[in-house]
């Protein structure tokens, strides 16, 4: 007699929802592996990047000499806010840095907002067309947040070399923070490399950790509805509603923190020790 199918246990449910769709064809959760591509993360990241560009283009096309509408006014207010933040942190030309910070903020907000979609909705639709694994929150994937953090690192290195010139940048690596003495050069270099690595890893882990925890909590809340009892459905609705409202703050706050740290790190590249 064939084995009877059974509903997944709580552990099986969570493990399934935390499994990435990747090019290996095997189950893969949040482990950095440069030989793998998490197709779901790439798809939703690119899709939301296109949406970010569309929002900015739509706002630009609606700008007139008269009184702006609500949509254009909201975008203009956000642009001015980010520009002021960039000017207060970065001591130099922010004509390219402020748009970078604004794009990072809106893009991360969109990616984080995917966490508010019911956890079973898109994965269930995917299973109907043969996609058995799907994670829809790109920022809950450490690979995505680490990639964004590396871009910030490369941007800070680029501006450091551009502002201080290659010679000045290399001189600072071996002369700060302990002083420009030959005997201290190895210690200065080691500390500088540790600082760059720590900032990059912490920037990625902060965003990933908060969004991964939020995603996991939504899964635990979804399991309350699987109890098929009146109290289970009641708790599912109340806790889901309460956490969704609170999570909106986390969504915006984490995007704001990532944007501000991006400005801080690039701003540090403009300054000397």
């Amino acid at each position: 007699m064939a084995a009877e199918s059974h509903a997944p246990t709580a552990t099986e449910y969570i493990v399934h929802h935390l499994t990435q769709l990747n090019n290996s064809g095997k189950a893969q959760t949040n482990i950095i592996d440069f030989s793998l591509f998490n197709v779901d993360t790439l798809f939703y990241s690119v899709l939301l990047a296109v949406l970010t560009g569309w929002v900015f283009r739509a706002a630009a096309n609606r700008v007139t000499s008269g009184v702006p509408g609500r949509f254009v006014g909201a975008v203009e207010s956000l642009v001015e806010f980010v520009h002021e933040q960039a000017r207060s942190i970065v001591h130099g030309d922010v004509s390219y840095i402020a748009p970078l910070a604004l794009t990072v903020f809106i893009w991360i907000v969109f990616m984080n907002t995917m966490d508010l979609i019911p956890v079973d909705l898109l994965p269930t639709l995917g299973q109907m067309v043969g996609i058995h694994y799907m994670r829809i929150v790109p920022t809950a994937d450490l690979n995505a947040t680490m990639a964004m953090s590396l871009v910030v690192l490369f941007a800070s290195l680029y501006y450091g070399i551009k502002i201080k010139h290659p010679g000045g940048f290399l001189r600072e690596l071996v002369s700060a923070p302990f002083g420009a003495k030959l005997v201290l050069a190895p210690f200065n270099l080691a500390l500088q490399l540790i600082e760059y690595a720590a900032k990059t890893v912490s920037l990625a882990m902060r965003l990933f950790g908060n969004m991964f925890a939020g995603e996991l909590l939504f899964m635990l809340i979804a399991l309350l509805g699987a109890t098929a009892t009146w109290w289970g459905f009641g708790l599912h609705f109340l806790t889901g509603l309460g956490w969704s409202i609170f999570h909106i703050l986390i969504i915006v706050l984490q995007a704001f923190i990532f944007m501000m740290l991006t400005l801080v790190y690039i701003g540090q590249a403009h300054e000397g020790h």
Side-chain angles (χ1 to χ4, degrees):
M1 181 180 295
E4 295 182 359
S5 60
H6 65 281
T9 64
T11 301
E12 292 172 341
Y13 174 84
I14 292 176
V15 170
H16 180 270
H17 278 66
L18 292 180
T19 303
Q20 302 278 171
L21 174 66
N22 58 62
N23 61 321
S24 70
K26 301 178 182 179
Q28 178 80 7
T29 51
N30 291 286
I31 300 175
I32 295 181
D33 187 340
F34 293 106
S35 66
L36 297 178
F37 296 95
N38 291 338
V39 180
D40 43 12
T41 297
L42 290 172
F43 173 79
Y44 286 109
S45 296
V46 173
L47 177 65
L48 296 172
V50 172
L51 178 61
T52 301
W54 177 85
V55 168
F56 290 142
R57 182 176 178 81
N61 289 336
R62 295 183 185 183
V63 172
T64 61
S65 58
V67 178
R70 292 182 179 179
F71 172 66
V72 174
V75 174
E76 287 182 349
S77 298
L78 184 59
V79 169
E80 292 177 1
F81 171 75
V82 174
H83 192 268
E84 287 301 317
Q85 295 298 318
R87 287 181 57 189
S88 65
I89 295 174
V90 180
H91 303 297
D93 184 15
V94 298
S95 58
Y96 295 100
I97 299 171
L100 170 64
L102 178 63
T103 303
V104 165
F105 177 72
I106 298 299
W107 188 29
I108 293 179
V109 166
F110 284 157
M111 289 191 287
N112 291 352
T113 304
M114 297 294 288
D115 218 0
L116 297 179
I117 298 176
V119 294
D120 290 313
L121 179 59
L122 293 180
T124 300
L125 294 177
Q127 288 181 354
M128 293 180 180
V129 294
I131 302 176
H132 299 293
Y133 299 104
M134 181 188 299
R135 294 187 64 189
I136 66 173
V137 186
T139 46
D141 181 3
L142 182 57
N143 297 275
T145 59
M146 184 59 72
M148 291 187 290
S149 185
L150 287 173
V151 171
V152 175
L153 171 64
F154 293 146
S156 64
L157 292 175
Y158 167 77
Y159 281 103
I161 295 173
K162 179 181 179 181
I163 299 300
K164 303 166 187 175
H165 305 293
F169 179 78
L170 293 175
R171 189 180 307 110
E172 186 177 88
L173 285 179
V174 296
S175 63
F178 299 124
K181 294 183 179 180
L182 183 60
V183 67
L184 297 176
F187 302 99
N188 289 326
L189 178 61
L191 194 61
Q192 290 272 12
L193 295 178
I194 292 173
E195 180 182 355
Y196 278 115
K199 290 191 295 186
T200 302
V201 173
S202 63
L203 185 62
M205 291 296 295
R206 182 182 293 104
L207 179 58
F208 158 73
N210 281 276
M211 298 314 301
F212 180 79
E215 182 186 39
L216 185 59
L217 192 53
F218 274 120
M219 294 177 191
L220 296 175
I221 292 173
L223 287 172
L224 290 174
T227 59
T229 58
W230 64 269
W231 61 266
F233 286 117
L235 285 176
H236 170 74
F237 174 76
L238 293 176
T239 55
L241 178 63
W243 178 243
S244 296
I245 295 173
F246 179 73
H247 201 58
I248 294 174
L249 174 63
I250 298 176
I251 286 171
V252 179
L253 181 61
Q254 289 304 313
F256 177 75
I257 291 174
F258 197 100
M259 179 196 75
M260 292 299 293
L261 289 176
T262 298
L263 291 174
V264 168
Y265 295 159
I266 294 178
Q268 289 176 343
H270 285 68
E271 300 173 356
H273 287 275

